[in-house]
């Protein structure tokens, strides 16, 4: 079977296109939810994600099979399907957040006033056009644009270092155990 999109291109796609809105919208959204300890809540979410990935990789290496096969072998088809349905719901909910982030990013950066449906229409048409193209063209875009994204992120970070006020995060852990509740609220990012 010949794949139109290589796994390298998928990784480059994530590097090229997804971090942009995260850098602009995630910190402000997380601060609204978690306050000055948002970085602790985000770090806790990162640890949970990393442990989940490590667990799944270990299970894959141990059983040399995908997750569904492992669940079906150790439990039964019903539990395997139920867990996959939960995964589907989780990823659908997780996909809603980037859609709203993208809309807010476009609204605040590309338009000085709130966009009407008419002014948002060119972006919608362009998005539909890209969705109808072959995956190979998306892979080629990722091959080219990931380098520009990395350079831009490095430049933005370097320019912002002089203006960072680390005293704004003090006192560390001021929210106490509320950090766990806030982690649950920002976990979809």
């Amino acid at each position: 079977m010949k794949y139109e999109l290589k796994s390298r291109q998928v990784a480059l796609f994530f590097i090229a296109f997804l971090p942009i809105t995260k850098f602009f919208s995630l910190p402000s959204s997380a601060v609204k939810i978690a306050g000055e300890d948002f970085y602790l809540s985000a770090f806790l979410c990162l640890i949970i994600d990393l442990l989940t990935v490590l667990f799944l990789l270990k299970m894959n290496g141990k059983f040399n099979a995908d997750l569904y096969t492992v669940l079906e072998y150790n439990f039964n088809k019903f539990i395997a399907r139920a867990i996959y349905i939960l995964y589907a719901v989780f990823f659908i909910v997780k996909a809603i957040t980037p859609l709203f982030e993208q809309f807010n990013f476009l609204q605040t950066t590309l338009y000085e006033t709130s966009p009407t449906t008419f002014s948002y229409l060119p972006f919608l048409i362009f998005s539909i056009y890209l969705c109808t193209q072959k995956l190979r063209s998306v892979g080629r875009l990722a091959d080219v644009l990931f380098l520009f994204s990395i350079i831009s992120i490095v430049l933005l970070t370097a320019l912002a270092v002089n203006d960072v006020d680390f005293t704004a995060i003090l006192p560390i852990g001021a929210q106490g155990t509320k950090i766990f509740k806030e982690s649950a609220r920002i976990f979809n990012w």
Side-chain angles (χ1 to χ4, degrees), residues 64-137:
N64 199 18
D66 62 0
L67 180 64
Y68 185 82
T69 307
V70 172
L71 289 172
E72 189 177 27
Y73 176 76
N74 288 318
F75 300 105
N76 59 31
K77 274 189 176 184
F78 177 76
I79 291 181
R81 286 184 182 163
I83 290 175
Y84 260 59
I85 289 170
L86 287 173
Y87 264 144
V89 170
F90 172 74
F91 286 119
I92 287 170
V93 169
K94 198 168 179 81
I96 291 171
T97 302
L99 292 174
F100 285 119
E101 284 180 353
Q102 195 69 23
F103 177 76
N104 290 335
F105 174 71
L106 287 170
Q107 187 177 27
T108 57
T109 58
L110 298 181
Y111 302 103
E112 292 195 18
T113 60
S114 293
T116 62
T117 304
F118 181 73
S119 62
Y120 196 69
L121 198 60
F123 175 75
L124 180 65
I125 291 170
F126 183 69
S127 298
I128 291 171
Y129 171 74
L130 281 180
C131 289
T132 60
Q133 297 305 303
K134 292 184 177 182
L135 285 176
R136 193 173 351 172
S137 60

Side-chain angles (χ1 to χ4, degrees), residues 4 18 53 61 71 80 86 90 93 104 111 148 156-157 175 177:
E4 290 186 25
L18 294 182
V53 168
L71 289 172
L86 287 173
F90 172 74
V93 169
N104 290 335
Y111 302 103
F148 291 108
L156 282 172
T157 305
Q175 301 291 330
T177 58

